[in-house]
Amino acid sequence: MRTYRISEAARLLAVSDDTVRRWIDHGVLSTTGASPVEISGDALARRAVELAATPVEPGDVLSSARNRFTGLVTRVQVDGIMAQVDIQAGPHRVVSLMSAEAVADLDLQVGSLATAIVKATTVIVEAQRSA
């Protein structure tokens, strides 16, 4: 089973190293008992699922889409009637192509808080080879 250092776990869960340490101290996230501290991949996966099931921003809108990435707008490039908007959501960069009119209506600017909602029919998964 693959294990992760605290800094790797924090990056994958989009939280700080201190948050991961607090979770370990409070028994929310288990470790392998190794020194330096290691977190097993299955424990990290369980925590990721728990976090994903916790609504980050409760609202009045219901949606069938489950892939929601809330983050900061890092780039807005308007070219004629179309625009490209980049959102940095933790370790994830999400790029959306939309109309320039939608960018104006949503008042999207660098530094704005935005949520990218992804609904797709195909998901391709890659894994790194074990050494």
Side-chain angles (χ1 to χ4, degrees):
M1 171 62 61
R2 167 88 196 262
T3 60
Y4 297 88
R5 297 184 320 259
I6 287 176
S7 61
E8 292 174 311
R11 183 176 39 81
L12 291 168
L13 297 176
V15 298
S16 70
D17 294 10
D18 288 337
T19 296
V20 172
R21 286 186 190 93
R22 278 193 296 276
W23 286 341
I24 292 168
D25 291 345
H26 293 134
V28 174
L29 187 60
S30 60
T31 65
T32 63
S35 181
V37 174
E38 293 179 341
I39 301 157
S40 68
D42 60 341
L44 195 58
R46 281 192 302 275
R47 186 64 184 145
V49 169
E50 291 168 3
L51 291 173
T54 305
V56 177
E57 298 175 21
D60 297 331
V61 178
L62 298 175
S63 174
S64 65
R66 296 293 177 251
N67 301 311
R68 303 173 70 89
F69 299 91
T70 300
L72 291 172
V73 174
T74 57
R75 179 176 181 222
V76 176
Q77 182 178 355
V78 178
D79 184 17
I81 62 170
M82 295 301 293
Q84 176 180 324
V85 177
D86 294 17
I87 298 172
Q88 191 67 43
H92 307 289
R93 176 177 167 248
V94 181
V95 178
S96 177
L97 302 176
M98 64 181 73
S99 69
E101 181 180 6
V103 168
D105 288 348
L106 294 171
D107 192 26
L108 294 176
Q109 303 169 21
V110 172
S112 298
L113 184 64
T115 301
I117 302 167
V118 180
K119 184 78 173 179
T121 57
T122 303
V123 175
I124 298 170
V125 177
E126 295 180 340
Q128 295 177 351
R129 293 178 191 238
S130 298

